[in-house]
Amino acid sequence: MRFAFVGGLDVPDWLLSQMFVLSKMSVVKFKVLCKQVLMQASGAPVDEQKFAKLLSDGKLESHEVKGAVAALHFIFLSSARYDVAEETLGEELQQLGLPKEHTEALVIALRDGRAPLRQHLADASLRLSKLESLRWRVSEDVGSARAHAADLQLTVRAPAALGTSVAPPERLLKMRLSADTLSLLHAELLKARELVPAPK
């Protein structure tokens, strides 16, 4: 059976097995766990001691706790990614065996945290390398009659990975363009600048 919260695909087997584990938790602990996992998925700092205290429940073994956190994390990210309606998500989770009270708690937590989660996902996607420096010079190509070429030297830096403050190393790119190729590149870049709105 296909489910909207996983993009119209079948639910992974590991997630199905975690539904039983999630249903063993009390509703109160489940609500708090949902909020903590949602905060973590949104990139917000999480109180590790509160997290550990919450999960130190005699009913669950350590591997079950890890599986439950992974399952909630997957459900939140996947639901936000595919922009699943709350009613649809609730119905699908109940079809998978999650009790109604647990489902309602999860849906309410997602309703409250959907905007920051989607913003975090948007910030984490389509991040382009930053141009650090550009050097160029025009030279006469010795091989052909009075042809000119442009030597470009670009230094770019990829964006830092989310959750880290360590900047990745710079990359040096060198290229030689003929006068015709440089003119074509310049025209294409001007056209692209017209089409793409300036950042606000």
Side-chain angles (χ1 to χ4, degrees), residues 24-43:
K24 287 197 312 187
M25 298 179 72
S26 71
V27 177
V28 175
K29 283 198 173 190
F30 185 78
K31 284 181 184 179
V32 177
L33 181 62
C34 283
K35 287 182 182 177
Q36 292 295 315
V37 171
L38 192 56
M39 284 175 55
Q40 184 183 38
S42 301

Side-chain angles (χ1 to χ4, degrees), residues 132-185:
E132 295 288 331
S133 68
L134 169 66
R135 293 182 184 185
W136 60 275
R137 70 183 179 96
V138 177
S139 58
E140 191 170 329
D141 199 348
V142 180
S144 60
R146 305 181 69 78
H148 290 84
D151 295 316
L152 300 177
Q153 185 172 318
L154 296 89
T155 306
V156 295
R157 183 185 303 274
L162 283 177
T164 65
S165 58
V166 178
E170 294 179 345
R171 263 185 11 170
L172 182 65
L173 304 172
K174 295 181 180 181
M175 62 186 84
R176 174 171 266 217
L177 303 174
S178 68
D180 292 338
T181 306
L182 183 61
S183 295
L184 181 62
L185 175 64

Side-chain angles (χ1 to χ4, degrees), residues 91-154:
E91 290 171 6
E92 291 182 348
L93 291 176
Q94 285 183 39
Q95 288 176 8
L96 294 175
L98 196 64
K100 185 175 182 181
E101 297 81 16
H102 290 67
T103 302
E104 288 172 355
L106 189 146
V107 168
I108 289 170
L110 184 60
R111 180 187 309 144
D112 297 340
R114 185 184 293 260
L117 178 59
R118 287 185 60 95
Q119 183 61 49
H120 179 70
L121 291 174
D123 292 344
S125 65
L126 195 61
R127 297 180 308 146
L128 303 174
S129 298
K130 180 181 177 188
L131 180 65
E132 295 288 331
S133 68
L134 169 66
R135 293 182 184 185
W136 60 275
R137 70 183 179 96
V138 177
S139 58
E140 191 170 329
D141 199 348
V142 180
S144 60
R146 305 181 69 78
H148 290 84
D151 295 316
L152 300 177
Q153 185 172 318
L154 296 89

Side-chain angles (χ1 to χ4, degrees), residues 24-67:
K24 287 197 312 187
M25 298 179 72
S26 71
V27 177
V28 175
K29 283 198 173 190
F30 185 78
K31 284 181 184 179
V32 177
L33 181 62
C34 283
K35 287 182 182 177
Q36 292 295 315
V37 171
L38 192 56
M39 284 175 55
Q40 184 183 38
S42 301
V46 177
D47 185 357
E48 295 293 334
Q49 291 179 344
K50 186 176 182 181
F51 214 41
K53 184 179 177 185
L54 175 69
L55 298 175
S56 62
D57 188 348
K59 294 180 183 177
L60 299 177
E61 297 179 27
S62 64
H63 71 278
E64 290 178 320
V65 168
K66 291 177 184 176

